[in-house]
């Protein structure tokens, strides 16, 4: 079956962003991806939003583990790292709730940034779709990396404490997602020059500060 993305599409063409070639195009040719139809496969968008929720829970567990290291204070979330079964039950279950918050709050913030960038009449639903798609650039590598770690370590706590190349894989995708987000915002919506600040400059600065703070705490 041919799954090559079609660049010249009609406005009602439904794009399936989880098709392998479409994923590659989104990651590495975002302008080409977003130049296609603005209609995206609904079930794919929902699944990607769920992945975002899963990653948010993973990040929350990491924060609690870091807190336990630096303050010797633990929470019920740190117990999720004791076995892969409890870890995956937590992230898959609570990920549903987390995905809902991401869809509502982060999707709203994406729309506000579009408005700050000149797209005053940005459609809220379409803004959330573009937000979800650019977030896939971060979420997918993290989920794939964690799945690989599941087969390499006895539990997540062991995986967390072993600094390997696997743990570094998601980092460049954080910055790549900023570029994809910028391309999505400027290709799909009628933005102005402020888009470079709201979708490139500010997110990149945020990630640099977060990575710097994390490195300082763990050194």
């Amino acid at each position: 079956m041919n799954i090559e993305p079609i660049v010249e599409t009609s406005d009602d063409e439904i794009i399936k962003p989880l098709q392998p070639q479409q994923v590659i195009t989104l990651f590495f040719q975002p302008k080409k991806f977003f130049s296609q139809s603005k209609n995206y496969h609904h079930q794919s968008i929902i699944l990607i939003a769920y992945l975002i929720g899963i990653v948010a829970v993973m990040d929350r567990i990491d924060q609690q583990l870091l807190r336990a290291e630096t303050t010797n204070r633990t929470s019920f979330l740190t117990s999720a790292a004791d076995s892969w079964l409890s870890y995956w039950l937590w992230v898959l279950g609570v990920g549903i709730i987390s995905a809902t918050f991401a869809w509502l709050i982060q999707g709203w913030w994406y729309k506000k940034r579009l408005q700050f960038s000149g797209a005053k009449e940005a459609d809220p639903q379409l803004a959330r779709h573009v937000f979800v798609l650019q977030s896939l650039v971060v979420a997918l590598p993290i989920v794939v990396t964690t799945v690989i770690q599941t087969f390499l370590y006895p539990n997540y706590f062991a995986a967390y404490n072993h600094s390997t190349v696997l743990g570094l894989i998601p980092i460049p995708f954080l910055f790549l997602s900023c570029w994809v987000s910028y391309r999505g915002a400027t290709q799909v919506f009628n933005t102005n020059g402020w888009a470079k600040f709201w979708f490139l400059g500010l997110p990149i600065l945020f990630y640099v500060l977060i990575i710097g703070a994390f490195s300082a705490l763990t050194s």
Side-chain angles (χ1 to χ4, degrees):
M1 180 176 62
N2 183 14
I3 57 174
E4 291 287 332
I6 302 173
V7 177
E8 298 296 333
T9 57
S10 60
D11 289 340
D12 59 351
E13 180 79 22
I14 297 177
I15 305 302
K16 296 183 177 180
L18 290 178
Q19 289 183 333
Q21 189 59 50
Q22 290 282 20
V23 171
I24 294 172
T25 304
L26 173 65
F27 276 52
F28 304 109
Q29 294 179 292
K31 184 176 181 179
K32 179 179 177 180
F33 178 90
F34 288 110
S35 69
Q36 304 176 96
S37 169
K38 298 176 184 179
N39 292 326
Y40 305 103
H41 186 247
H42 178 70
Q43 286 79 5
S44 297
I45 293 294
I46 296 300
L47 179 55
I48 296 170
Y50 180 46
L51 290 179
I52 296 169
I54 287 173
V55 168
V57 180
M58 290 177 173
D59 181 60
R60 184 63 178 170
I61 293 174
D62 284 351
Q63 291 177 32
Q64 293 302 315
L65 290 175
L66 179 61
R67 181 187 179 189
E69 285 182 355
T70 56
T71 66
N72 292 321
R73 296 175 61 185
T74 61
S75 72
F76 64 93
L77 270 180
T78 57
S79 63
D82 292 338
S83 73
W84 283 114
L85 177 60
S86 61
Y87 180 84
W88 283 111
L89 285 176
W90 264 106
V91 299
L92 294 176
V94 183
I96 298 173
I97 301 173
S98 182
T100 303
F101 279 101
W103 178 267
L104 294 175
I105 298 174
Q106 292 179 266
W108 170 84
W109 175 235
Y110 196 89
K111 177 177 177 285
K112 294 302 293 184
R113 285 189 288 156
L114 287 169
Q115 292 177 332
F116 296 152
S117 302
K120 301 299 183 182
E121 304 299 324
D123 178 74
Q125 188 81 342
L126 184 57
R128 285 187 168 91
H129 286 183
V130 177
F131 155 71
V132 165
L133 289 167
Q134 65 90 23
S135 297
L136 179 65
V137 178
V138 177
L140 187 59
I142 292 175
V143 172
V144 170
T145 299
T146 309
V147 170
I148 295 173
Q149 289 175 326
T150 304
F151 296 96
L152 297 178
Y153 299 99
N155 52 47
Y156 184 73
F157 189 74
Y160 175 85
N161 283 304
H162 284 79
S163 298
T164 65
V165 175
L166 277 176
L168 300 176
I169 288 176
I171 293 178
F173 289 97
L174 290 173
F175 298 100
L176 179 61
S177 71
C178 298
W179 177 247
V180 174
S181 180
Y182 171 73
R183 278 303 192 188
T186 55
Q187 191 70 31
V188 177
F189 302 94
N190 186 24
T191 58
N192 56 31
W194 278 101
K196 289 183 179 179
F197 171 76
W198 287 108
F199 294 96
L200 277 179
L202 190 62
I204 289 174
L205 176 61
F206 173 78
Y207 286 135
V208 168
L209 292 176
I210 290 297
I211 293 172
F214 179 80
S215 299
L217 288 172
T218 55
S219 61

